[in-house]
Amino acid sequence: MAKCDQINSKNLEMNSHCAVCGVSAISKCAACTLVVYCSKKHQKAHWQQHKNECVSYELQIDSIIGRHLIAKRTINPSDIIIQEDPLVIGPKFPTSEPICIKCLQNLKRSNSTVESLCEKCLWPICGTGCVSSINPNIHEDECKVLVKGAERIAKNNDYMYDALTPLKCLLLQFTDKNKWNRLMELKSHMEYRGPESEIYEEINSVYNYLRNNYLSGEEFEASSDLIHKICGILDVNSLDVQVAGLELTGLYLTVSKLEHNCLPNTSISFDKYGRIYVYAARKIVKGEHINTMYTNALWGTRERRAHLLSTKYFKCKCKRCSDPTELGTHLSTIVCNVKNFCKGNLTPIDPLDDSTKWECDRCPTTVSSDNIDAILIELNHIVDKALQNPSINSLENALSKLKMRVHSNHYLCFNVKHTLIQLYGHSMGYKHSMLTDDLLKRKTELCRDMFFVLNIIDPLYTRLNIYTSVILYELHLALLESAARISENKAESKGMCDEAKVLLSKALDILKNEPEGSPGFKLLQAYKSSSITF
């Protein structure tokens, strides 16, 4: 037996016995998977000894990227790196959408008539018996404050939903000093959020609302600076949390220290209580930085970096952002239209310079970044108009216009294509059985083109898993229809059916960690019913 095999065998032997009593056991520590226990009782008893060696990461501080986490041992794919309860969880911040203050459901989407009000603070609720699935007492502390201006707010229908999550944060100083101190340790980047900044007036409106209605008086008084800092902490550190059909904002102390990368090595999921789980999306070696993504993977480099700068206050310099072609996908590439005949690819000379010129790969043409922005603004209008009331004809027309100005893989084309593949095969007059061979081929090609790009910009399916699963599912349907049409050619038909089966299995696998009640979970259940046909 080779030395490495001997070592692996020894580790397996060591990890098959309870760390407390030594009996054979298989229940691993979920966080590190290094030790096993025969019971929850022994796992709890061993925690004081095990906790220091349990985590697979360590905190480091760098003068450029600040606090960040690195792996202190090899972390295997699907290992849980972090599991953490929220420091604060509340309505999505910022938001103007009305929500039930008790269960946090969006009142517009819950088919509620919004006739019920909390009996104490008079804020809208779903109904008299509604309770949060995350925490049945989630409204208790804030209700004691909101009751102060109840009659005036209800009479004027003056509900500012933007103020709720900052208020939850503010109240920690009275309800949980430990959590409050940990909250105040988080970065707010107030140096970028002063009176001269765009965000300042928006946060001032939150402060004025809270001060005028709830925070006057010694008991709940708070300064403008404190409210601005809390909102800064939320903007910089919070995550969008989707659980049980709710869209929330959550603050997680450890997870907030994950650095950004446009090609992250982790994936994230939440349970129905808002607890976060960070998994290794691939093997992470000792000393490697552990990262996530804080922007939209389907945006182009220019848009991603602008978003990160305006919300997180840093400029991304990752592998994808540094490549003019975005790793060969051309997700941001513009078509060169010099004298209407060049048709070369315009890409940024230096993608990390916001004011860089864009150069053509076929002719000597260069274009300023301002002109690129003007082109994108114009084309965004075309996309927005096509998606307002989408039809196959309107989307195909929009695509034709876009492809004269941008690469066919451009992110603006992606938005149109993703809607188009769902109309082909499902809209009236375009069911799969009714599609011509050419239209069926068209759908298949659109799906394959998009999947090719997604495998490059999100190869581990950490950010675009729902988006990708839809493409795989639609491609599998197109292949099944194509196979049925050539059933006399058994070999080719079987090949298509086999590929369709693999694609459906991949779509299901991508969605397997979606939390119950989420859009991805509902999609998973719908797709599972299709697998019965195989």
Side-chain angles (χ1 to χ4, degrees), residues 79-227:
D79 280 0
I80 297 176
I81 302 172
I82 302 168
Q83 48 182 319
E84 183 175 29
D85 289 321
L87 198 62
V88 176
I89 193 164
K92 192 169 183 179
F93 176 82
T95 184
S96 57
E97 294 275 303
I99 57 101
C100 170
I101 202 162
K102 287 190 175 181
C103 72
L104 305 183
Q105 280 202 71
N106 186 304
L107 290 174
K108 282 186 177 180
R109 300 174 200 162
S110 65
N111 298 319
S112 171
T113 57
V114 200
E115 293 177 352
S116 299
L117 300 174
C118 172
E119 63 277 9
K120 294 179 181 177
C121 69
L122 304 183
W123 274 64
I125 59 174
C126 291
T128 53
C130 90
V131 177
S132 170
S133 59
I134 297 174
N135 176 358
N137 302 315
I138 199 165
H139 176 53
E140 191 174 292
D141 293 328
E142 70 200 28
C143 190
K144 296 173 185 176
V145 177
L146 297 178
V147 71
K148 188 173 182 180
E151 291 187 10
R152 180 175 64 257
I153 295 298
K155 181 180 179 180
N156 298 322
N157 197 29
D158 185 21
Y159 303 107
M160 179 183 272
Y161 294 93
D162 269 350
L164 291 177
T165 299
L167 178 60
K168 286 178 182 290
C169 294
L170 182 66
L171 291 178
L172 287 179
Q173 63 184 311
F174 307 110
T175 61
D176 193 321
K177 274 289 185 182
N178 181 43
K179 282 189 175 181
W180 172 254
N181 291 334
R182 295 164 76 194
L183 176 73
M184 289 294 101
E185 291 174 1
L186 296 176
K187 290 283 187 181
S188 63
H189 286 298
M190 291 306 298
E191 66 271 26
Y192 302 114
R193 300 170 64 91
E196 71 287 348
S197 65
E198 291 182 13
I199 195 69
Y200 189 83
E201 282 307 314
E202 294 177 31
I203 304 306
N204 244 9
S205 65
V206 172
Y207 167 67
N208 289 331
Y209 179 83
L210 290 173
R211 180 197 62 189
N212 294 337
N213 295 296
Y214 303 113
L215 300 182
S216 56
E218 292 183 6
E219 186 178 1
F220 297 119
E221 190 171 3
S223 68
S224 171
D225 287 347
L226 183 57
I227 298 297

Side-chain angles (χ1 to χ4, degrees), residues 380-391 394-395 398 416 419:
N380 262 300
H381 290 315
I382 294 174
V383 173
D384 291 343
K385 185 177 179 180
L387 293 176
Q388 278 178 0
N389 188 22
S391 67
S394 67
L395 293 174
V416 176
T419 305

Side-chain angles (χ1 to χ4, degrees), residues 345-380:
N345 293 319
L346 286 169
T347 55
I349 295 173
D350 180 4
L352 302 183
D353 178 1
D354 297 334
S355 59
T356 190
K357 289 187 175 182
W358 291 47
E359 62 182 354
C360 179
D361 62 358
R362 287 190 184 177
C363 74
T365 298
T366 58
V367 178
S368 71
S369 57
D370 288 341
N371 283 342
I372 295 296
D373 287 340
I375 292 170
L376 293 176
I377 290 171
E378 178 188 344
L379 297 182
N380 262 300

